[in-house]
Amino acid sequence: MKGLVFATNNPNKLREVKELVGDHFKILSLEEIGCLEDIPETADTLEGNALIKARHVKEKYGYDCFADDTGLEIEALDNAPGVYSARYAGEDKDPRAKMRKVLSELEGISNRKARFRTVIAFTYEGKEMLFEGIVNGQITTQESGKQGFGYDPVFKPDGYSTTFAEMDAGLKNKISHRGRAVCAFIHYLMQSES
């Protein structure tokens, strides 16, 4: 299998996935294949957005590709921000503004249950597959920690006393939604290679 393209322009996601994959497969970024356009995410589900990105790369550039979409689903907010997590506080995707909006919407609410959900779409030799990873947790009452990205400073996974942003990358990758989805994906690739 030649290099697989990971359809993201997010350097943090790219770094996390490369760490998870290790030497098993060569991961190429969009930039490395000359894909500099911003692929629109116009679906109303995580699955739909991941498929849009994977199909775009396969159709326009000819590479087997995987793409993810991730959402933070907060029970008390009817699973918002969900598929709109990246742009929850505006098109500029400002992470601090998104966290402030979530914290303000949960002010005075005791139910802080939330989950991160990642869906990976994979296009390969005319087939399309989906892999999912979920981690349950709580939204904290304030930001804490400097690691990670996105909503990590306000998300504390069940069974841990720290937020994702307070964890070292190795532990976060092992238990995170993206880590779980990538592990399922890698397991599939290893099975198909053997």
Side-chain angles (χ1 to χ4, degrees):
M1 183 182 291
K2 62 182 180 176
L4 287 173
V5 175
F6 180 28
T8 185
N9 287 310
N10 184 322
N12 295 305
K13 279 188 183 182
L14 185 62
R15 187 190 69 247
E16 270 191 7
V17 167
K18 282 186 171 182
E19 285 170 4
L20 285 160
V21 171
D23 298 328
H24 295 299
F25 298 94
K26 180 172 171 53
I27 303 296
L28 302 170
S29 68
L30 289 176
E31 190 177 354
E32 287 174 290
I33 65 162
C35 175
L36 304 177
E37 66 261 36
D38 198 17
I39 304 169
E41 298 179 39
T42 54
D44 56 7
T45 64
L46 300 176
E47 292 82 355
N49 279 338
L51 281 165
I52 286 171
K53 292 184 280 190
R55 288 170 181 160
H56 179 89
V57 170
K58 185 67 176 173
E59 289 164 12
K60 294 252 168 54
Y61 297 88
Y63 283 89
D64 292 317
C65 177
F66 67 101
D68 84 318
D69 199 22
T70 294
L72 173 65
E73 299 174 345
I74 301 170
E75 191 174 277
L77 302 180
D78 295 324
N79 289 329
V83 73
Y84 306 107
S85 293
R87 295 170 178 81
Y88 197 49
E91 285 300 315
D92 63 354
K93 304 180 186 179
D94 177 4
R96 301 298 300 272
K98 293 185 295 189
M99 282 186 286
R100 281 194 299 270
K101 182 173 181 181
V102 161
L103 292 176
S104 117
E105 289 180 337
L106 286 176
E107 209 167 298
I109 296 175
S110 58
N111 176 8
R112 318 282 293 186
K113 285 183 190 169
R115 69 179 189 169
F116 268 123
R117 192 162 72 90
T118 290
V119 175
I120 290 176
F122 178 44
T123 60
Y124 181 62
E125 295 182 345
K127 293 182 289 195
E128 294 180 337
M129 286 146 277
L130 295 171
F131 305 87
E132 184 181 61
I134 293 172
V135 63
N136 293 304
Q138 304 279 324
I139 299 299
T140 58
T141 55
Q142 60 189 28
E143 296 171 40
S144 188
K146 302 278 185 224
Q147 305 296 320
F149 59 98
Y151 296 94
D152 287 356
V154 296
F155 183 83
K156 183 164 50 174
D158 286 348
Y160 293 85
S161 58
T162 57
T163 67
F164 270 165
E166 294 172 296
M167 292 180 178
D168 71 66
L171 176 57
K172 182 195 167 190
N173 284 343
K174 194 182 293 183
I175 66 168
S176 79
H177 47 296
R178 187 168 296 105
R180 290 173 179 176
V182 170
C183 284
F185 174 52
I186 292 169
H187 178 74
Y188 170 81
L189 292 177
M190 302 291 269
Q191 297 291 103
S192 60
E193 287 283 282
S194 57

